[in-house]
Amino acid sequence: MVGWGVVGQSFAQIIAQRKKELAKKYGFRPRIVAIVDKKGAAINPKGLDIEEMLTLKKDKGTVAASSKYGCPDMTALEAIESVEAEAIVEVTPTNIETAEPGLSYIKTAFKTGKHVVTTNKGPLALALPALTELADYNNVCLRFSGTVGAGTPILEFAKNCLKGDKIVSVRGILNGTTNYILTEMDEKHITFDKALKAAQNLGYAEAEPSMDVEGHDAAAKLVIMANWIMNKKVTIENVKIRGIRDVSAQDIADASEKGCTIKLIGSIEESLKVEPTQISKHDPLAVDGALNAVTFVSQSAGEQTIIGLGAGGVETASAVLRDLLDIKQTIANSMIK
Ligand code: HSE
């Protein structure tokens, strides 16, 4: 585990709580052999005790404080290189300017023969084609379903459920924090700042909340979708971005009088855009709170909208688990061949 924040801890709790069921249903018996946080690592090849690791983080601020398994000076790169593991779960904060340090973590994992599950949008928004190539070259898997829609399988829906069809355009709400803020401003008439604070307390916002508010998080997700689902070779530079800072309570009230609402909509058509947009309250995209909603228009199947919570620790952790199970299945299938 590289990163021991809200997503990493939620994931560990899920696999501890559902241990028996995961073994019985999927033959999945994960062992967390190393955890790295900002201050060091804890390593035990036999598997770390999750409760102990959670307590250490809460009480001492780092898993490296473990008297038996702590490695206070160890960096994430050293851990990825030296620890024997089948996969790394990379859940460090997103940086969409440099993609680091996540990008180096992922590349190092590939080079040392480890599969990667990541929820980090930076490396994918900046280098998805190169990373899939590097994964193939090293004969390992890269999975990232938690990067878009948290636990809502937006990427899988488009990639697997619409297999064979041609997706011609995409339109959707891809950021839970801004949707939560706009909903609170509309329904409870609270200020922007108060709504943002609440979204942060609920664990929806990025470590740097301007990423959400200025539309960059939604743009990163749009780039991941355009590359992965529609084979467009685009980066965040190709997205026209406008966030929600300028949306006033008056704008929202005016829209409401007309039976409309204002949402931060990302779209992939001839060009890629993220901008506050007025839509009818009857539009399937008019979802509230931290929900995400994406409408896919495909050539034969027509229009479909997938809706679900788009942010949150447990929700995103469920995508990590899904991805690991998918890797397990992929390995099993390749052995059958
Ligand atoms: N900050 C993101 C959001 C988290 O609010 O949607 C999920 O990617």
Side-chain angles (χ1 to χ4, degrees):
M1 301 275 323
V2 183
W4 193 235
V6 59
V7 175
Q9 294 184 36
S10 301
F11 166 71
Q13 277 166 321
I14 293 178
I15 59 169
Q17 282 155 7
R18 296 183 45 208
K19 194 173 171 184
K20 279 196 188 140
E21 184 199 342
L22 290 173
K24 198 165 166 220
K25 227 169 149 180
Y26 305 101
F28 186 53
R29 295 175 184 80
R31 213 169 357 125
I32 299 182
V33 292
I35 299 173
V36 192
D37 62 29
K38 284 191 196 115
K39 295 182 183 156
I43 298 175
N44 179 6
K46 292 197 175 129
L48 292 161
D49 181 80
I50 290 166
E51 277 311 316
E52 187 194 339
M53 294 299 123
L54 294 170
T55 310
L56 278 170
K57 182 77 180 176
K58 199 161 134 235
D59 295 348
K60 308 250 168 83
T62 174
V63 294
S66 165
S67 54
K68 225 166 156 189
Y69 306 113
C71 309
D73 298 321
M74 183 171 272
T75 65
L77 281 177
E78 284 164 353
I80 297 166
E81 272 168 357
S82 64
V83 171
E84 261 191 56
E86 281 174 289
I88 72 156
V89 171
E90 199 277 322
V91 282
T92 63
T94 293
N95 175 330
I96 48 163
E97 266 144 39
T98 64
E100 293 295 359
L103 184 59
S104 299
Y105 298 161
I106 296 173
K107 284 183 179 168
T108 307
F110 288 162
K111 285 178 194 154
T112 54
K114 297 174 180 82
H115 306 291
V116 173
V117 173
T118 185
T119 58
N120 187 342
K121 289 152 274 191
L124 302 174
L126 267 74
L128 180 52
L131 286 175
T132 45
E133 222 168 83
L134 194 62
D136 287 347
Y137 179 77
N138 287 284
N139 211 13
V140 289
C141 302
L142 169 66
R143 295 289 183 274
F144 45 87
S145 56
T147 55
V148 180
T152 309
I154 295 175
L155 293 176
E156 290 107 311
F157 178 78
K159 191 87 172 168
N160 302 328
C161 302
L162 291 172
K163 205 179 275 171
D165 209 339
K166 182 175 179 331
I167 295 172
V168 286
S169 69
V170 176
R171 224 170 141 252
I173 296 172
L174 295 164
N175 181 266
T177 302
T178 46
N179 206 45
Y180 179 86
I181 294 172
L182 291 171
T183 307
E184 292 289 287
M185 285 171 74
D186 189 5
E187 287 176 0
K188 297 192 189 146
H189 307 291
I190 66 171
T191 63
F192 177 95
D193 289 331
K194 216 169 160 193
L196 172 59
K197 251 268 122 15
Q200 284 176 301
N201 290 340
L202 287 162
Y204 299 153
E206 294 301 301
E208 176 44 72
S210 63
M211 277 266 301
D212 298 293
V213 172
E214 310 291 353
H216 299 289
D217 176 77
K221 291 167 180 165
L222 209 61
V223 167
I224 296 170
M225 292 173 81
N227 275 282
W228 184 239
I229 299 166
M230 297 165 88
N231 270 328
K232 289 185 187 279
K233 299 278 169 269
V234 287
T235 71
I236 203 133
E237 309 271 293
N238 303 104
V239 190
K240 195 177 142 222
I241 309 171
R242 189 154 61 90
I244 64 161
R245 277 231 193 260
D246 299 339
V247 179
S248 66
Q250 191 57 50
D251 294 334
I252 294 176
D254 290 348
S256 200
E257 265 189 23
K258 290 187 271 174
C260 292
T261 178
I262 297 178
K263 298 291 183 191
L264 184 66
I265 302 283
S267 56
I268 311 174
E269 288 162 339
E270 280 86 53
S271 60
L272 278 75
K273 267 188 286 185
V274 172
E275 61 188 3
T277 309
Q278 191 166 301
I279 59 169
S280 160
K281 284 196 173 167
H282 300 296
D283 191 308
L285 293 182
V287 296
D288 289 342
L291 286 172
N292 279 190
V294 180
T295 301
F296 292 100
V297 180
S298 41
Q299 207 162 38
S300 310
E303 224 176 275
Q304 278 111 16
T305 302
I306 174 164
I307 298 171
L309 264 178
V314 189
E315 291 80 4
T316 311
S318 75
V320 171
L321 175 57
R322 208 161 64 214
D323 283 350
L324 282 169
L325 290 172
D326 187 53
I327 292 178
K328 186 177 178 332
Q329 183 72 52
T330 305
I331 297 169
N333 289 348
S334 71
M335 281 173 177
I336 294 168
K337 280 182 220 154

